Amino acid sequence: ALLVLAAVYIAAALAGQVLGVAATDAGEWVGWTATNAMRADLAEHCLDLDMAFHQEHTPGEMIERIDGDIDTLSNFFSQFVILVLGSGLYLVGVLVLLWLEDWRIGVSIAAFTVVSVVVVTRLQNVSVPYVTRERQASAELYGFLEERLAGLADLRSNGASSYVMHRFHHFMRNLFRAGRRSGMMEGVMWSATTGLFVVGLALALVLGLVLYRQGAITLGGAYLIWSYTSELRWPIQQLAQQLQDLQRATASIRRVQQLYSERGRIEDGPGAGVEPGPLSVEFRGVSFSYHEGEQVLRDVSFRLEPGEVLGLLGRTGSGKSTIARLLLRLYDATDGQVLVGGEDVRRFRLDELHARVGMVTQQVQVLQGTVRDNLTMFDTSKSDGRVIEVLRDVGLSSWLRSLPDGLDTELSAGGLGLSAGEEQLLAFARVFLRDPGVVVLDEASSRLDPATELRLEHAVDELLEGRTAIIIAHRLDTVRRADRILLLEDGRVVEHGRRQDLESDPDSRFRALLRTGEEVLA
């Protein structure tokens, strides 16, 4: 009989191990699948939010909220159900055995267990606000680190390292304090569980002693009662631990829900369906404010016919780049209308608008990926032949030949190893590949040396050929190819007309700038 029982015990132990491995594997698969799907959904949601939202939240904070908050949910998804279910079954099994030993013991310990579970459940929300504050402090720390690491060169050159470390200690101190409070509140639940367990063991000892003295049970039965009551500790502690994880998961879920509840102000239109080729551009009484009460544009109106080139001049902060952002619908005008091809930009689908309006900025984003990926922006429909042709048009053929793997050469994030001129020429090539009807050049040659700028002249002429264009410039020689000139001052149009007319008008501001030879409108 002992050999049979031993064999059954060993078989049960082995089966338990196999079942544990299978449950862990299944739980991890569920956890990673669920959290990765949530990361993807949340990342896509954040990419759809407008620029106003992203200006208020640093990239570091967004990384922590998209990855850190969801990572907290991995244990919840992978183990919570299995451990809670297993602990529940174990708890029921112990209570059944105690009930079979003596119904009075069964009733007493069952009542104790119910009280314990109720108390633990009531305590589950105690630490949620503290955990939420801890997650927010962590997000603020990551946001600070991302911003400072991005500007490391400027910080070092200006001797700001001490200040950065001072602020770093400030954010670390906040995270430490928030984490300490969160841990202390979670400890309340653990202490309550331990206290309840001590009460349960004392109850088992007293009941066993009373029943033994009455002769209702044997000494072995009294020990059995105490032993099985002590077995309640594992499922109750597991339940308490999982409820702590549930608190953390609840805090993270609230932050994820809060982020999901953010809604961008820029929404897709029904679709404009404009014809291919150069498109007209018109601003009708456009005013705009980034922040309430601070107008950047004031009643701006102008029109460009298809194929015309506008030279947009003005001092820093006059609103030149804002006009480009409104045209690309990165923001919506506060008042007035922005029209492309005779259609309000609000009627365009965003992908449709961005396919028809291209922009080259001063700051070029080089992504981690191949040369091909950086030019096509991961659009596999662009053929290698077309990419090579565009690189030849912008004067990068020799640069392409110098690369070890041609179009498959990996580029580092941030353009490490590329000169400013090569980065700018890559940005021009991106716009060439999209073949838009409207092109915006936002001081696109400002970072180029004279030799590289000469290489770019022919490419710019080809890019503007048969397209409507807006050239935003500080230097007057940049707009020499413009058909029309628009001069902004403090968000208002102070001069607008054909370039030849303004050049010949002795009273025009543009003529005065040319006459004085003022090259930079700083």
Side-chain angles (χ1 to χ4, degrees):
L2 287 175
L3 288 175
V4 172
L5 289 174
V8 171
Y9 180 82
I10 293 173
L14 292 174
Q17 291 295 318
V18 172
L19 184 60
V21 171
T24 301
D25 180 72
E28 290 296 320
W29 182 84
V30 170
W32 279 108
T33 301
T35 53
N36 282 341
M38 289 184 68
R39 285 186 184 92
D41 292 342
L42 197 57
E44 184 177 11
H45 173 73
C46 291
L47 287 173
D48 289 337
L49 295 176
D50 54 46
M51 295 301 296
F53 171 85
H54 288 287
Q55 283 189 334
E56 296 172 359
H57 299 82
T58 65
E61 178 187 354
M62 298 309 300
I63 290 171
E64 174 64 9
R65 296 192 67 173
I66 292 173
D67 182 66
D69 284 338
I70 292 179
D71 188 59
T72 307
L73 301 174
S74 60
N75 181 68
F76 174 72
F77 284 123
S78 63
Q79 300 184 37
F80 182 81
V81 173
I82 293 175
L83 290 178
V84 168
L85 181 61
S87 301
L89 290 174
Y90 197 92
L91 195 64
V92 171
V94 169
L95 292 176
V96 168
L97 289 173
L98 288 172
W99 192 285
L100 293 175
E101 181 65 23
D102 189 280
W103 68 270
R104 289 164 292 186
I105 293 293
V107 170
S108 301
I109 300 301
F112 159 74
T113 302
V114 170
V115 171
S116 300
V117 172
V118 169
V119 171
V120 170
T121 303
R122 290 292 179 87
L123 289 173
Q124 68 173 331
N125 292 322
V126 169
S127 66
V128 170
Y130 298 91
V131 175
T132 301
R133 282 195 283 271
E134 181 187 10
R135 301 304 309 165
Q136 180 60 32
S138 178
E140 291 173 356
L141 172 64
Y142 277 92
F144 170 82
L145 286 174
E146 184 278 333
E147 185 179 9
R148 296 310 182 270
L149 290 174
L152 189 59
D154 289 337
L155 293 172
R156 283 184 173 178
S157 62
N158 288 283
S161 299
S162 298
Y163 167 76
V164 170
M165 289 307 301
H166 172 73
R167 294 294 294 165
F168 176 73
H169 289 149
H170 167 76
F171 284 104
M172 284 294 293
R173 190 181 303 112
N174 287 345
L175 179 57
F176 166 73
R177 289 172 177 171
R180 182 176 60 183
R181 294 190 187 100
S182 173
M184 290 177 65
M185 296 310 298
E186 288 180 345
V188 170
M189 179 178 290
W190 186 261
S191 299
T193 305
T194 303
L196 288 170
F197 171 70
V198 171
V199 172
L201 283 180
L203 177 63
L205 284 171
V206 170
L207 290 174
L209 178 61
V210 170
L211 293 175
Y212 172 70
R213 286 184 172 181
Q214 292 177 355
I217 59 174
T218 64
L219 185 61
Y223 174 77
L224 184 69
I225 292 169
W226 181 87
S227 177
Y228 274 113
T229 302
S230 67
E231 289 294 319
L232 292 174
R233 180 174 187 175
W234 179 83
I236 291 177
Q237 285 183 338
Q238 281 294 328
L239 288 172
Q241 180 63 48
Q242 292 309 306
L243 287 175
Q244 286 182 7
D245 288 342
L246 178 60
Q247 292 173 23
R248 290 186 171 273
T250 301
S252 295
I253 287 171
R254 287 180 180 177
R255 285 168 54 80
V256 170
Q257 287 177 329
Q258 181 187 14
L259 191 53
Y260 264 123
S261 67
E262 296 282 351
R263 289 292 177 264
R265 303 169 189 171
I266 309 298
E267 296 182 355
D268 266 339
V274 296
E275 296 295 327
L279 303 172
S280 63
V281 173
E282 185 176 0
F283 277 55
R284 293 179 183 173
V286 171
S287 297
F288 178 75
S289 301
Y290 289 107
H291 306 288
E292 189 174 352
E294 300 178 8
Q295 277 200 323
V296 179
L297 295 180
R298 297 173 173 83
D299 194 27
V300 173
S301 297
F302 66 88
R303 177 177 173 82
L304 280 178
E305 298 298 331
E308 282 192 319
V309 178
L310 174 70
L312 187 55
L313 300 173
R315 298 180 184 276
T316 300
S318 61
K320 303 185 302 298
S321 295
T322 300
I323 285 180
R325 291 166 185 160
L326 295 179
L327 186 60
L328 285 158
R329 212 182 167 213
L330 300 179
Y331 299 87
D332 275 338
T334 308
D335 294 299
Q337 281 184 298
V338 179
L339 299 97
V340 172
E343 294 283 352
D344 193 314
V345 291
R346 293 182 178 90
R347 288 191 53 79
F348 284 80
R349 296 191 312 276
L350 291 176
D351 59 345
E352 177 188 24
L353 178 64
H354 297 158
R356 303 295 290 128
V357 181
M359 184 175 180
V360 180
T361 62
Q362 301 177 39
Q363 299 298 323
V364 181
Q365 291 294 327
V366 178
L367 308 176
Q368 181 75 42
T370 65
V371 173
R372 180 189 296 103
D373 292 338
N374 269 275
L375 289 172
T376 64
M377 300 306 286
F378 308 95
D379 183 358
T380 57
S381 66
K382 307 295 183 184
S383 67
D384 286 359
R386 176 57 180 157
V387 173
I388 294 172
E389 179 185 350
V390 166
L391 289 175
R392 183 180 66 246
D393 290 340
V394 298
L396 285 177
S397 293
S398 58
W399 172 77
L400 179 62
R401 287 193 295 270
S402 69
L403 298 178
D405 299 316
L407 294 177
D408 293 318
T409 302
E410 290 283 337
L411 299 179
S412 300
L416 185 64
L418 294 176
S419 67
E422 289 167 343
E423 288 183 3
Q424 201 72 65
L425 290 169
L426 283 175
F428 270 85
R430 286 174 181 170
V431 177
F432 263 109
L433 282 171
R434 289 168 55 196
D435 193 21
V438 179
V439 176
V440 180
L441 305 182
D442 188 358
E443 197 60 40
S445 61
S446 62
R447 303 168 66 230
L448 303 183
D449 57 85
T452 306
E453 192 170 359
L454 286 175
R455 291 168 57 195
L456 192 63
E457 287 301 309
H458 177 68
V460 172
D461 288 337
E462 285 198 9
L463 180 62
L464 301 185
E465 181 67 29
R467 294 184 176 92
T468 309
I470 297 177
I471 301 176
I472 300 173
H474 293 289
R475 298 183 301 177
L476 295 177
D477 63 348
T478 309
V479 297
R480 65 185 181 277
R481 54 169 54 86
D483 301 307
R484 307 182 70 85
I485 298 293
L486 189 146
L487 185 60
L488 285 175
E489 187 174 296
D490 195 25
R492 291 187 173 88
V493 178
V494 294
E495 192 166 84
H496 178 220
R498 298 193 63 80
R499 180 171 58 84
Q500 295 89 339
D501 296 338
L502 295 178
E503 286 178 351
S504 59
D505 183 356
D507 297 325
S508 75
R509 297 193 182 199
F510 184 63
R511 171 69 179 270
L513 291 174
L514 293 175
R515 186 169 55 247
T516 58
E518 187 176 350
E519 285 293 329
V520 180
L521 303 175

